[in-house]
């Protein structure tokens, strides 16, 4: 396994903690800032038909590199991997600001994503390295707060930059942040020296296989039902290719001296259960994060600001719950705390389907606030718990595996729940008792944005169809929550096998 002596436990300098938070802010702010500036980007560069790949390409690059960076950090140390990731993210940001057309911008976003994968994986691993178990909730709560703050600050900052400085500054804003993070980490982060003799040969064949398999699978999930039907030749071909590549990866990894995706990640009950549970969480969070803004504007009649506030309620209660969850898991354990959190989240998501139509805005607002609190109680104990079951030499791989599963869950969830939404709206439109409704799904958003183009009855029917679609989405998310509960109850041990630490 290449195990080494654990790093000595000393209180990390404030500058190191600040560097981790700035590094996490780079990836947390990125998507929210860029999404706000999309109208200006498309107006300048064109490419409206495929601008969504600004986000899909970035997500693909982050996801498929997570296992690779996790293994590299276990082999070479966290510091060089994190410095490389920040530098690559910085280069990608500068290239994005210099893009001359949409194709170039998408390619440079992929470069950003290749750096973002190192940031997400390594920062979370370092947080566990630097703090003993009893203090990890503090640093993890700070990281969660960074994500929550970014979800609120990002859209406002992106709008201001796009309106007054130009959309290219939504990427150039990363330059001072990345520069600060690089300087702080290079100067203040000190890791224990690792003997080169202990390092195994890097499994580059496995890394390439994981990259190819994950890339093809996520490409199929992102494009399926959008660029082509799910049962079409392109979808079936890509899914079949990803399955074939998965078989190749398994064979390569079994023969590798030190594989990128080691078998113990799935053979150990605790890690396997957390992987499955966080994969289900990825599906769960798609429902409120992606579809609640549409529900707020199309069904409740709120404006963009009101819809954004409604969605942000979940990100406000999540870090508060995460900061307080240590008082729960220290009493009842990691697994039972997560079971309690997801049990509450499942009930809350199901309660959304019982709301009247039309609901009053405070009702879904309460659902979002409670849901964030429940998911904070679910996720953080699992991450802290699983990191505490492995030593330094396996922590990077373990952390990357759970983040990888969660991100893949989000991709699967977006594809699955999007298909459910489209099917529900299509069925309601086909069964409409009045004329004048859109014939195509692509025209639904335009009709909702211009309600005067429809009669009163048609407008009401269309809003009811969207409400039914979101209800079905939350029902599917409820099923995913039950799957997470089953993974914990049936696979995870009641007590996580936490390693003794030298604090």
């Amino acid at each position: 396994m290449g195990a080494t002596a654990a790093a000595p436990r000393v209180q990390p300098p404030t500058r190191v903690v600040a560097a981790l938070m700035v590094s996490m802010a780079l990836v947390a702010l990125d998507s929210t800032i860029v999404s706000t500036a999309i109208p200006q980007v498309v107006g300048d560069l064109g490419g409206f038909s495929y601008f969504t790949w600004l986000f899909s390409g970035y997500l693909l690059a982050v996801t498929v590199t997570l296992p690779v960076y996790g293994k590299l950090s276990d082999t070479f140390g966290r510091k060089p991997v994190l410095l490389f990731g920040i530098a690559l993210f910085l280069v990608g940001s500068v290239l994005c600001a210099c893009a001359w057309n949409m194709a170039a911008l998408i390619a440079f976003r992929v470069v950003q994503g290749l750096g973002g994968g190192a940031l997400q994986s390594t920062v979370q691993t370092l947080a566990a390295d630097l703090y003993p178990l009893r203090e990890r909730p503090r640093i993890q709560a700070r990281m969660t707060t960074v994500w929550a703050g970014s979800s609120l600050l990002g859209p406002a900052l992106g709008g201001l930059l796009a309106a007054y400085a130009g959309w290219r500054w939504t990427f150039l804003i990363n330059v001072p942040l990345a520069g600060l993070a690089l300087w702080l980490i290079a100067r203040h982060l000190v890791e224990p020296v690792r003997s080169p003799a202990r390092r195994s040969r890097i499994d580059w064949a496995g890394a390439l296989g994981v990259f190819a398999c994950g890339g093809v699978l996520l490409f199929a999930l992102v494009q399926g039902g959008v660029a082509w039907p799910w049962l079409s030749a392109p979808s079936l071909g890509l899914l079949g290719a990803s399955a074939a590549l998965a078989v190749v990866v398994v064979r390569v990894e079994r023969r590798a001296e030190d594989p990128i995706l080691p078998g113990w990640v799935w053979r150990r009950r605790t890690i396997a259960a957390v992987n499955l549970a966080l994969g289900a969480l990825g599906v769960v969070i798609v429902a409120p994060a992606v579809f609640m803004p549409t529900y707020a504007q199309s069904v409740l009649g709120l404006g963009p600001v009101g819809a954004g506030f409604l969605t942000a309620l979940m990100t406000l209660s999540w870090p508060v719950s995460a900061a307080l969850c240590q008082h729960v898991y220290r009493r009842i354990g990691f697994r039972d705390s997560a079971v309690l959190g997801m049990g509450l989240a499942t009930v809350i998501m199901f309660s959304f389907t019982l709301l009247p139509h039309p609901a009053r805005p405070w009702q879904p607002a309460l659902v979002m606030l409670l849901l964030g609190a429940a998911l904070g109680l679910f996720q953080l104990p699992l991450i802290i718990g699983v990191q505490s079951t492995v030593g330094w030499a396996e922590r990077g791989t373990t952390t990357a595996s759970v983040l990888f599963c969660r991100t893949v869950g989000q991709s699967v969830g977006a594809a699955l729940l999007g298909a459910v939404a489209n099917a529900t709206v299509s069925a309601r439109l086909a069964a409409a008792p009045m004329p004048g409704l859109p014939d195509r799904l692509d025209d639904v958003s335009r009709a909702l944005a211009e309600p005067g183009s429809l009669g009163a009855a048609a407008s009401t029917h269309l809003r009811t169809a969207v409400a039914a679609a979101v209800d079905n989405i939350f029902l599917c998310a409820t099923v995913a929550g039950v799957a997470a509960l089953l993974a914990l109850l049936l696979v995870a041990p009641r007590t996580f096998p936490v390693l003794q630490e030298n604090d």
Side-chain angles (χ1 to χ4, degrees), residues 34 153 168 178 204 226 283 427:
V34 174
L153 177 62
R168 297 181 190 274
W204 295 115
V226 178
V283 179

Side-chain angles (χ1 to χ4, degrees), residues 41-390:
V41 174
V42 174
D44 186 18
L45 300 181
F48 178 82
S49 61
Y50 54 96
F51 80 86
T52 55
W53 272 99
L54 290 176
F55 306 98
S56 299
Y58 178 88
L59 177 65
L60 283 170
V62 168
T63 305
V64 299
T65 54
L66 280 171
V68 178
Y69 285 126
K71 189 62 181 180
L72 291 177
S73 75
D74 283 343
T75 303
F76 295 106
R78 324 299 186 208
K79 184 174 181 176
V81 173
L82 183 55
L83 289 174
F84 173 81
I86 296 173
L88 189 57
F89 191 90
L90 174 59
V91 170
S93 299
V94 173
L95 290 174
C96 286
C98 300
W100 53 90
N101 58 32
M102 185 61 74
L105 183 57
I106 291 171
F108 297 148
R109 282 285 286 171
V110 171
V111 176
Q112 261 193 316
L114 295 176
L119 288 171
Q120 287 199 34
S121 172
T122 314
V123 168
Q124 291 280 7
T125 306
L126 266 170
D129 288 344
L130 296 174
Y131 283 85
L133 176 58
R134 66 173 181 271
E135 295 182 13
R136 281 177 196 156
R138 182 192 310 172
I139 184 63
Q140 291 289 357
R142 289 178 182 175
M143 296 301 168
T144 306
T145 302
V146 169
W147 282 96
S150 299
S151 68
L152 297 176
L153 177 62
L157 182 58
L160 289 173
L161 290 173
Y164 298 104
W167 65 264
R168 297 181 190 274
W169 281 95
T170 61
F171 296 103
L172 291 177
I173 192 66
N174 293 326
V175 173
L177 291 175
L180 176 61
L182 282 171
W183 182 78
L184 289 172
I185 291 169
R187 185 176 178 84
H188 299 288
L189 178 60
V190 178
E191 287 192 291
V193 177
R194 290 168 57 79
S195 171
R198 295 174 180 266
R199 295 174 181 168
S200 302
R201 180 181 301 175
I202 298 298
D203 177 25
W204 295 115
L208 181 61
V210 170
F211 191 91
C213 178
V216 172
L217 173 61
L218 292 178
F219 183 78
L221 293 174
V222 169
Q223 294 293 88
V226 178
W228 46 68
W230 280 109
L231 297 180
S232 64
S235 276
L236 296 177
L238 287 170
L239 291 173
S242 67
L245 285 170
V247 173
V248 172
V249 168
V250 170
R251 297 190 64 179
V252 169
E253 295 298 81
R254 283 181 174 177
R255 297 177 180 178
E257 176 186 351
D258 196 11
I260 289 290
L261 282 178
W264 56 260
V265 169
W266 292 103
R267 287 195 297 268
R268 298 182 191 177
R269 290 176 55 196
T270 304
I271 302 176
V274 173
N275 283 342
L276 293 172
L278 288 186
L281 173 65
V283 179
V284 166
I285 60 178
V286 168
V290 175
F291 294 97
M292 184 56 72
T294 299
Y295 174 85
Q297 295 185 66
S298 302
V299 180
L300 302 181
L302 300 179
V305 175
F309 176 75
L310 181 61
T311 307
L313 286 173
M314 183 178 74
T315 63
L316 291 175
S317 59
W318 192 314
V320 174
S321 173
L324 298 175
C325 72
Q326 58 178 311
H327 301 294
V328 180
Y329 72 66
R330 284 176 178 170
R331 289 179 176 271
I332 65 176
F334 293 116
R335 191 201 74 164
D336 290 349
S337 295
V339 168
L340 175 61
M342 185 52 77
L344 292 172
T346 302
V347 173
I348 293 165
M349 288 186 293
F350 182 74
S351 71
F352 179 87
T353 67
L354 305 178
L355 295 181
H357 176 74
R360 296 185 178 183
W362 68 265
Q363 293 171 320
L366 180 61
V367 168
M368 294 294 283
L369 192 67
L370 295 176
L371 183 58
L375 293 179
L377 181 59
F378 168 77
Q379 177 179 262
L380 195 57
L382 291 182
I383 292 179
I384 293 176
V386 77
Q387 288 179 329
S388 303
T389 65
V390 295

